[in-house]
Amino acid sequence: MQSVAGTKSAVAPAMAARPLAARPKAVAAQAAIARPSFAKRVAQRGLKASRVESQRVVVVRAADDKVVVIGLAADSGCGKSTFMRRVTGIFGGEPKPPAGGNPDSNTLISDMTTVICLDDYHSLDRNGRKEKAVTALAPEAQHFDLMYEQVKALKEGKAVQKPIYNHVTGLLDPPEEIKAPKILIIEGLHPFYDDRVNDLVDFRIYLDISDEIKFAWKIQRDMAERGHSLESIKASIEARKPDFDAYIDPQKKKADMIIQVLPTQLVPDEKEGKILRVRLIMKDGKKLFDPVYLFDQGSTVSWIPCGRKLTCSFPGIKMFYGPDTYYGEEVSVLEMDGQFDKLEELIYMESHLSNTSAKFYGEITQQMLKNASFPGSNNGTGLFQTIVGLKVREVYERITEKEVVPV
Ligand SMILES: Nc1ncnc2c1ncn2[C@@H]1O[C@H](COP(=O)(O)OP(=O)(O)OP(=O)(O)O)[C@@H](O)[C@H]1O
Ligand SMILES: O=C(CO)[C@H](O)[C@H](O)COP(=O)(O)O
């Protein structure tokens, strides 16, 4: 079966839904010429027409079969797990590892989504990396051929036997069966590194955490929760840095949306990562989603929402929105510096945002309140992760032409 869902020429739903009579005459004429063979193909394969394009008909798989692939790239310890909980929560169901499987599985399955961790495609286990003196970020420590074959197979609706990298033992465990979900999320270090894998991804997200903040979060987790020493955390960050710069960071250029987390500008020399300046960088002109805007699309807006309608203690909140360029591409940027005092008052800010992909007034605030215990819920990380989660839903709906009922 053919699929155009992974290409940039993916069908615009508005066009697909447009009746022939409403289309320009020349296009309708081409459609008439193309119709017999097309109808034959539809009958033979159970396909449906989606677009008539200059003398040829592009056919997509029946909407029921489509697997939408979402990629999330970030370094370790940058909040991927938290982000995934926010995204999958939008689709409902509790994400769980495959039932009855390996207790150290990295996979999370819920009603509509399956999240696979690309660490499972490490070709070298912990000992192998030590022997070859390479980090887990190096391309030679990944099995990109298998990653490509399996993501492709899942996208085609087939089940795969995916390896498991066991983070407890540092070994590669026997594989687990993964069935094709509606939404496949591939998260990890290299979702966009290999062009073949990258081309299979419908929507690309990159979490860009600045060194200072990454360090603060790592200390918080690895010292407090995993008993590592400050020195060992510093050494591990330093050891990974050259490969991070060479292989992981450049992937952000390919992302559709980037969540950039920086130290605040509201408090001079705040380095503990308690108050954050978070930027949502959204590529313009994409067919599968619309960038969010504040007040007026395309304008440059600075806004301090604190006052009678939004309670702010020191240092307050500063919002920014405007057009920009990112590695030579046009983007829209939405920025939030500071943090909320009362999460329920977020509704005030939400009411000034447009193109959020929320299905009802207050959906963002509702999601944020539901996940209030997650890290980052009082700042731009939680807010923008929630918005990106709604964009994942929008992308899914545009590709499949199916509506997701909000949970
Ligand atoms: N938005 C946030 N604000 C504050 N702290 C955060 C935020 N997101 C994550 N953290 C902290 O950073 C640490 C790492 O987060 P998390 O485990 O979600 O990252 P990860 O990318 O999934 O890591 P890994 O790939 O190593 O498993 C956690 O201790 C978490 O509390
Ligand atoms: O970058 C990582 C995860 O994203 C890990 O460092 C990598 O997967 C190796 O894991 P471990 O340190 O458990 O052997």
Side-chain angles (χ1 to χ4, degrees), residues 317-374:
I317 296 176
K318 195 170 169 191
M319 300 292 293
F320 170 85
Y321 161 76
D324 205 341
T325 53
Y326 188 75
Y327 295 101
E329 288 190 69
E330 305 260 299
V331 294
S332 298
V333 180
L334 181 65
E335 180 178 316
M336 175 179 165
D337 195 349
Q339 57 191 35
F340 309 109
D341 275 12
K342 295 182 183 163
L343 201 45
E344 59 278 15
E345 290 178 358
L346 171 62
I347 187 82
Y348 172 64
M349 203 188 277
E350 181 178 351
S351 66
H352 290 84
L353 294 172
S354 301
N355 276 355
T356 59
S357 308
K359 284 187 183 278
F360 55 88
Y361 178 70
E363 188 178 15
I364 296 175
T365 307
Q366 189 197 62
Q367 283 293 327
M368 290 281 282
L369 285 167
K370 187 180 86 178
N371 300 327
S373 62
F374 294 7

Side-chain angles (χ1 to χ4, degrees), residues 84-247:
M84 279 304 109
R85 286 198 288 160
R86 286 191 201 276
V87 174
T88 52
I90 285 169
F91 295 92
E94 181 65 20
K96 293 190 183 111
N102 187 330
D104 294 327
S105 168
N106 301 309
T107 304
L108 283 174
I109 301 174
S110 62
D111 300 349
M112 287 188 69
T113 61
T114 291
V115 183
I116 61 171
C117 175
L118 298 179
D119 293 348
D120 289 334
Y121 294 99
H122 287 331
S123 56
L124 297 174
D125 63 12
R126 208 174 281 159
N127 277 331
R129 292 195 300 268
K130 211 168 166 185
E131 274 168 22
K132 293 215 156 84
V134 293
T135 72
L137 301 92
E140 56 266 43
Q142 325 302 325
H143 212 324
F144 284 117
D145 290 346
L146 187 65
M147 190 191 292
Y148 164 64
E149 279 161 28
Q150 297 204 337
V151 174
K152 181 169 179 284
L154 287 166
K155 188 158 182 161
E156 287 166 353
K158 298 170 194 156
V160 300
Q161 291 291 325
K162 183 187 61 55
I164 300 175
Y165 177 73
N166 189 322
H167 282 278
V168 181
T169 62
L171 299 171
L172 285 154
D173 283 351
E176 61 187 355
E177 185 182 64
I178 303 292
K179 295 196 176 88
K182 289 183 165 49
I183 302 175
L184 174 69
I185 304 179
I186 57 170
E187 62 94 354
L189 298 168
H190 307 90
F192 320 135
Y193 182 86
D194 182 287
D195 283 343
R196 297 166 302 167
V197 180
N198 183 48
D199 286 347
L200 293 168
V201 182
D202 296 300
F203 184 55
R204 299 170 188 81
I205 308 158
Y206 187 93
L207 293 185
D208 186 9
I209 315 296
S210 67
D211 286 349
E212 300 96 314
I213 307 300
K214 203 191 285 185
F215 188 53
W217 287 359
K218 268 237 176 236
I219 289 175
Q220 183 188 315
R221 185 184 67 175
D222 293 355
M223 265 179 93
E225 296 168 25
R226 299 187 180 175
H228 297 189
S229 70
L230 186 62
E231 287 317 307
S232 72
I233 297 168
K234 272 188 191 161
S236 139
I237 290 179
E238 285 308 312
R240 291 170 70 99
K241 180 98 174 102
D243 282 355
F244 174 79
D245 291 343
Y247 309 120

Side-chain angles (χ1 to χ4, degrees), residues 75-82 217 220-221 225 276 375-376 381:
D75 196 6
S76 155
C78 286
K80 293 189 296 290
S81 315
T82 313
W217 287 359
Q220 183 188 315
R221 185 184 67 175
E225 296 168 25
L276 302 174
T381 58

